[in-house]
Amino acid sequence: MQLPKISIVTTSFNQGIYLEETILSVISQGYPNLEYIIIDGGSTDNSIEIIKKYESKLAYWVSEKDNGMYHGLQKGFEKSTGEIMAWINSDDRYHTKSFFVVGEIFSNFPQVQWLQGLPSLIDEAGRIVSTFDFRRWSKYEFLIGEYKWIQQESCFWRRALWEKAGGKLNTTLLYAGDFDLWLNFFSHAELYCVNTIIGAFRARSKNQFSVEKISEYENEAEHLLELRLKNLSRDEKKRLIKLSLYKHFISKIPMLKNIGHKIFFRGMYPPRILFDRLSQSFIIK
């Protein structure tokens, strides 16, 4: 089997304490068709020393001042050439041999345009401390605000989808650039979920931007959703209203909570018929 070329980008700024573990989680995969790019934002700690230690394994690296993580990621993706794309932050890591899982899925299933593994969590010492339940993602659930959380650390996508979705990150965003990218992807393709761990998010006790700025992230995300909802077609708006009604009914009728969820999300009953039966007095004309 010819495995597709995977391009990984890491952005970093003064993360020398974790950077080496992140780099090793990429280059020790043993994946035969890998392109790894590191964009450093002008670190003043030991990051550059660490990067130089592994530069023979890198396709490209640079250390210079930039305008934040998403600007750095965009620079990295512009240098990339792989058929499959992803990024890993400089304090997170990939699980062993996970690139082979990703490469084989994209090789064997052409309908898969992007995927996510089971979310997993590591602590400051790099130990896996938690994994989360398998979830099927829906574009329409995402649009009504049920977006917590697509795990960026285990997301991979085809370059064809990246280009179809605009071929760029929104570098004006400070926090929710990944959220904006997921919105763009959902406009063109389903998100497939893999029932195995691929990447891990590191939970730290202090100085963790993604945790400390969670309110700011959610504010940006909600604003992006508002903008997207305004531009939906009439049919898409109808579907969202029906989904909202369904969620309301399920929350109000305990006996439907489990049965209804299985019916709607596991295809045991056509969603349109289920909505019509649950909300006959709310038929949308």
Side-chain angles (χ1 to χ4, degrees):
M1 178 192 301
Q2 180 63 42
L3 291 169
K5 187 176 185 179
I6 295 179
S7 293
I8 305 293
V9 176
T10 292
T11 57
S12 185
F13 180 69
N14 288 338
Q15 286 286 0
I17 187 172
Y18 301 116
L19 179 59
E20 187 165 24
E21 185 178 347
T22 299
I23 293 173
L24 287 172
S25 80
V26 176
I27 64 176
S28 66
Q29 292 277 325
Y31 190 80
N33 203 0
L34 175 66
E35 177 181 67
Y36 189 26
I37 294 167
I38 297 179
I39 307 296
D40 182 84
S43 294
T44 56
D45 62 358
N46 63 335
S47 295
I48 306 307
E49 178 183 344
I50 293 169
I51 295 170
K52 286 183 175 179
K53 181 178 177 180
Y54 299 102
E55 65 180 340
S56 65
K57 304 290 186 181
L58 305 178
Y60 176 82
W61 75 275
V62 70
S63 180
E64 61 187 16
K65 187 175 181 180
D66 55 38
N67 296 322
M69 181 178 73
Y70 296 115
H71 179 233
L73 284 170
Q74 184 63 35
K75 289 196 299 182
F77 285 134
E78 287 172 359
K79 294 288 185 180
S80 71
T81 60
E83 178 189 344
I84 309 303
M85 305 169 67
W87 85 79
I88 190 77
N89 292 325
S90 54
D91 57 346
D92 302 322
R93 75 157 191 241
Y94 288 115
H95 295 294
T96 304
K97 299 294 183 180
S98 58
F99 290 5
F100 288 89
V101 175
V102 171
E104 289 180 20
I105 289 172
F106 281 115
S107 292
N108 293 324
F109 301 96
Q111 71 272 30
V112 176
Q113 294 296 302
W114 62 313
L115 62 79
Q116 177 202 283
L118 283 180
S120 60
L121 196 71
I122 56 174
D123 64 9
E124 289 174 310
R127 301 170 297 187
I128 300 174
V129 293
S130 184
T131 58
F132 299 87
D133 292 339
F134 180 84
R135 174 178 176 180
R136 288 176 171 85
W137 285 93
S138 158
K139 165 186 174 179
Y140 292 97
E141 278 192 302
F142 202 79
L143 287 172
I144 65 170
E146 296 193 8
Y147 53 79
K148 299 177 182 178
W149 299 100
I150 291 176
Q151 191 196 30
Q152 169 265 309
E153 295 79 22
S154 66
C155 273
F156 288 73
W157 59 88
R158 293 187 191 273
R159 181 171 297 275
L161 177 61
W162 166 260
E163 292 173 351
K164 192 179 292 184
K168 61 182 179 180
L169 291 160
N170 187 342
T171 58
T172 66
L173 296 170
L174 295 177
Y175 312 105
D178 58 341
F179 184 90
D180 184 67
L181 185 63
W182 309 152
L183 277 174
N184 291 335
F185 283 175
F186 269 128
S187 295
H188 302 282
E190 294 181 64
L191 172 58
Y192 285 78
C193 295
V194 183
N195 198 19
T196 187
I197 54 175
I198 292 177
F201 172 81
R202 189 187 301 271
R204 309 201 315 256
S205 58
K206 59 182 179 179
N207 299 325
Q208 187 152 31
F209 187 79
S210 58
V211 174
E212 294 169 356
K213 298 294 184 179
I214 190 64
S215 293
E216 290 85 347
Y217 182 102
E218 291 178 346
N219 288 338
E220 282 192 353
E222 293 298 329
H223 178 65
L224 290 167
L225 278 177
E226 288 177 11
L227 294 176
R228 191 59 56 103
L229 290 173
K230 289 178 182 178
N231 295 318
L232 292 180
S233 69
R234 179 177 175 82
D235 286 343
E236 288 176 317
K237 288 177 181 177
K238 285 182 179 181
R239 191 163 181 180
L240 280 184
I241 293 171
K242 285 186 175 184
L243 178 57
S244 298
L245 285 171
Y246 166 77
K247 293 289 186 178
H248 173 77
F249 272 99
I250 292 301
S251 66
K252 297 298 182 184
I253 307 174
M255 63 177 270
L256 289 178
K257 196 166 188 178
N258 293 324
I259 298 174
H261 186 81
K262 291 178 181 178
I263 288 172
F264 184 71
F265 291 104
R266 298 184 185 177
M268 295 170 61
Y269 211 96
R272 180 183 58 79
I273 297 175
L274 177 65
F275 279 130
D276 290 345
R277 290 194 176 187
L278 285 177
S279 55
Q280 290 179 15
S281 60
F282 298 92
I283 298 297
I284 301 168
K285 304 296 184 183

